[in-house]
Amino acid sequence: MPASASPFSPALTRASIFATYAASLVGIDLSGEQLLQFERLTQLLLSWNERVNLTAITDPADIAIKHYLDALTLSLVAPHFDGKRLIDVGTGAGFPGLPLAIAFPRLQLTLMDSTAKKLRFIDEAALSLGLKNVRTIHARAEEAGKDQRYREAFDIVVARAVARLPVLLEYMLPLCKLGGKAIAMKGAAACEESTAATNAIGALGGELAAIEEIALPTLDDRRYLVVIEKINPTPKRYPRRAGLPARHPIR
Ligand code: SAM
């Protein structure tokens, strides 16, 4: 072996860097078993991605930071996950939901999307990783928000890269329990979108609680967690029928 070569496999090196970041950035100590689950998830994601378009991020080290660590930052603004019910709206291939399911085995997760083929990936990944705390729902958020099984049924509602905040909150807040939190993962436009959503937040029964800036290692883009607390029930007229929130956001 050349003197400069590492005696460790790339996967082992990656896992140990990821574990260090998880501990130092979000205070989560991942077990060896959890690190293996993350590694297995990467393998599955990349092999499915050859057939189904799940992610544009294909470098395993990037996946660890941009998908996994990014998801775990949610715990910074919702620190008590144990026993809680969380729904990930527009989860796609399971982000941020799947990393949360691995890191927090006592969190009960519902991963919802309107595209069935991505949910099939999540179902297979959950089975393969032995995740018992994940279920998927194939639905549009506008329909789930009217359904008594899901309406105001979740302690925490999260979403990443689904819609601008004035639209997204009409998807999220009807699903959130009174006293619960909706947390939108946003990029550089977070503050501008939050201002544009002022009327939507009030109309849907929410209150803006915080906009937390998040810095991820090795990246210099700006990320934010926009935290909305549910302080009043959402009026029955919301969410409006499918497509209307996007076409005519609450002003
Ligand atoms: N959250 C994932 C992530 O960050 O990787 C996926 C983001 S992807 C850009 C947006 C996802 O939101 C798509 O999978 C799409 O099907 C879903 N979506 C958009 N509008 C939706 C709606 N009204 N109800 C449910 N899912 C929706």
Side-chain angles (χ1 to χ4, degrees):
M1 184 171 62
S4 59
S6 164
F8 302 111
S9 72
L12 195 60
T13 307
R14 198 163 56 239
S16 100
I17 293 172
F18 176 56
T20 306
Y21 284 150
S24 60
L25 188 75
V26 282
I28 299 172
D29 286 318
L30 295 167
S31 67
E33 191 185 334
Q34 287 169 314
L35 291 171
L36 280 175
Q37 287 176 310
F38 277 111
E39 192 56 34
R40 176 85 187 117
L41 180 59
T42 303
Q43 290 165 2
L44 281 172
L45 187 63
L46 293 178
S47 82
W48 269 67
N49 211 37
E50 289 170 10
R51 290 174 281 130
V52 182
N53 184 16
L54 296 177
T55 178
I57 302 169
T58 54
D59 174 64
D62 282 347
I63 290 173
I65 292 181
K66 294 180 183 170
H67 282 325
Y68 303 164
L69 203 59
D70 191 40
L72 300 189
T73 63
L74 285 164
S75 67
L76 294 170
V77 292
H80 305 294
F81 273 153
D82 279 3
K84 295 270 168 63
R85 292 189 72 193
L86 178 150
I87 185 165
D88 179 4
V89 174
T91 187
F95 300 106
L98 277 176
L100 292 175
I102 295 173
F104 300 98
R106 286 187 290 278
L107 178 65
Q108 295 301 316
L109 295 105
T110 300
L111 276 50
M112 180 176 68
D113 205 283
S114 52
T115 306
K117 64 184 176 191
K118 295 183 183 175
L119 297 178
R120 282 199 287 279
F121 165 73
I122 297 173
D123 290 336
E124 183 172 315
L127 194 66
S128 169
L129 272 55
L131 297 173
K132 306 223 183 309
N133 55 344
V134 173
R135 68 168 175 165
T136 52
I137 310 179
H138 178 211
R140 287 190 69 122
E142 299 94 314
E143 290 151 8
K146 293 279 191 208
D147 185 324
Q148 289 316 310
R149 287 172 298 174
Y150 310 123
R151 187 176 175 89
E152 304 201 322
F154 297 91
D155 304 290
I156 304 165
V157 184
V158 300
R160 184 181 82 164
V162 176
R164 272 174 53 83
L165 216 44
V167 179
L168 185 61
L169 290 173
E170 192 168 345
Y171 299 162
M172 296 174 82
L173 279 169
L175 300 165
C176 188
K177 270 184 190 168
L178 208 54
K181 279 181 181 166
I183 311 169
M185 305 175 76
K186 286 284 166 190
C191 293
E192 178 260 309
E193 285 188 33
S194 300
T195 304
T198 303
N199 289 343
I201 294 170
L204 294 160
E207 182 177 69
L208 180 63
I211 303 177
E212 287 289 332
E213 185 168 358
I214 299 293
L216 289 181
T218 74
L219 303 180
D220 51 17
D221 58 351
R222 292 203 289 163
R223 287 161 193 252
Y224 298 86
L225 299 176
V226 179
V227 185
I228 312 286
E229 280 170 5
K230 180 85 173 253
I231 58 165
N232 288 308
T234 298
K236 285 212 163 46
R237 65 179 175 282
Y238 299 119
R240 291 166 292 162
R241 69 184 153 77
L244 262 189
R247 279 200 302 280
H248 301 288
I250 299 170
R251 289 183 196 284

